[in-house]
Amino acid sequence: MPAPSSPTTVVFDIGGVIIDWDPRYLYRRLIPDEAEMERFLTEVCSGAWNAEQDRGRSFVEAIEDLAARHPAQRELIMAYWERWDEMLGDPIPGVAAIMAELHEAGTPMVAITNWSAETYPIAVREHPELKLFRDAVVSGEVGLSKPDPEIFRYALDRFGVAPHEALFIDDNKANTTAAGALGIGTHLFTDAAALRETLKSAGLL
């Protein structure tokens, strides 16, 4: 869905839009064999397993459950929590500058992110641009995650923003599709240059 004609608020996703995150940054150091590392991240500490933390499960519970099923890999599993900060990559090029310009212009910025409640504060500590948000709906804190339409409804109500007043930016098409179905303006993120053009066209930059 194209950007609405008169959005007032920019709603950011975080991972893949503002900052890079990938468990491979850590596990390449721990599992030198690439194929074995990929198997571990597919069959043990999988995306589906991590998504449960994004929906509110604690890492203590998650690790104990998984380590009970894979006892020989307990230390590797524990590293997912104990060394989580090593999964954070660099800022996505050019996006922090756009956020600074929006902030300077007084344009409200908020976020909707699929993120563990326990690790989000680490991301904010490491990437201070996240402090520019007036508010952030973190899936692990509210027990809802994208692309469930309910997280968008909840967020808009919490932000005090009508669907047509929001421009939602995400790098996941399932998420922008879900937001668009609710009448929210969307931008499928690919890079900062394209985002800048969308924001200019919407009169936000």
Side-chain angles (χ1 to χ4, degrees):
M1 178 178 292
S5 57
S6 57
T8 60
T9 301
V10 182
V11 185
F12 280 94
D13 172 41
I14 295 175
V17 173
I18 299 173
I19 59 179
D20 187 18
W21 176 88
D22 193 329
R24 291 169 183 82
Y25 295 145
L26 168 63
Y27 282 97
R28 282 195 180 103
R29 300 172 188 152
L30 302 178
I31 307 174
D33 182 86
E34 189 83 6
E36 180 62 20
M37 179 200 68
E38 291 294 343
R39 187 202 66 77
F40 178 83
L41 293 176
T42 300
E43 299 178 10
V44 185
C45 288
S46 66
W49 174 79
N50 184 61
E52 291 303 311
Q53 284 77 271
D54 286 352
R55 282 191 280 268
R57 180 173 64 178
S58 74
F59 269 98
V60 168
E61 179 186 349
I63 288 167
E64 286 308 309
D65 175 69
L66 197 59
R69 288 184 278 129
H70 302 275
Q73 296 176 300
R74 173 177 283 271
E75 286 191 16
L76 286 172
I77 294 166
M78 290 179 64
Y80 205 101
W81 167 238
E82 293 176 346
R83 297 177 61 176
W84 183 89
D85 59 327
E86 294 177 56
M87 301 182 197
L88 286 171
D90 295 329
I92 302 298
V95 177
I98 289 174
M99 293 177 67
E101 291 177 43
L102 290 168
H103 179 68
E104 184 67 24
T107 302
M109 288 184 290
V110 291
I112 305 174
T113 184
N114 286 357
W115 211 291
S116 159
E118 294 175 294
T119 58
Y120 185 69
I122 301 172
V124 174
R125 183 189 72 210
E126 298 295 325
H127 292 271
E129 62 268 32
L130 301 183
K131 294 178 182 177
L132 295 177
F133 293 130
R134 296 191 178 185
D135 194 4
V137 169
V138 178
S139 64
E141 295 177 355
V142 301
L144 297 166
S145 61
K146 299 175 292 184
D148 184 346
E150 287 307 311
I151 194 170
F152 296 104
R153 294 190 180 101
Y154 169 85
L156 291 177
D157 183 64
R158 179 164 137 179
F159 299 151
V161 175
H164 71 276
E165 295 173 327
L167 177 60
F168 174 61
I169 302 152
D170 201 301
D171 63 322
N172 186 314
K173 188 169 178 59
N175 296 340
T176 56
T177 298
L182 298 176
I184 300 168
T186 64
H187 172 85
L188 182 62
F189 182 83
T190 54
D191 57 45
L195 173 58
R196 182 177 289 279
E197 287 306 310
T198 293
L199 292 170
K200 284 182 178 178
S201 296
L204 291 164
L205 199 61

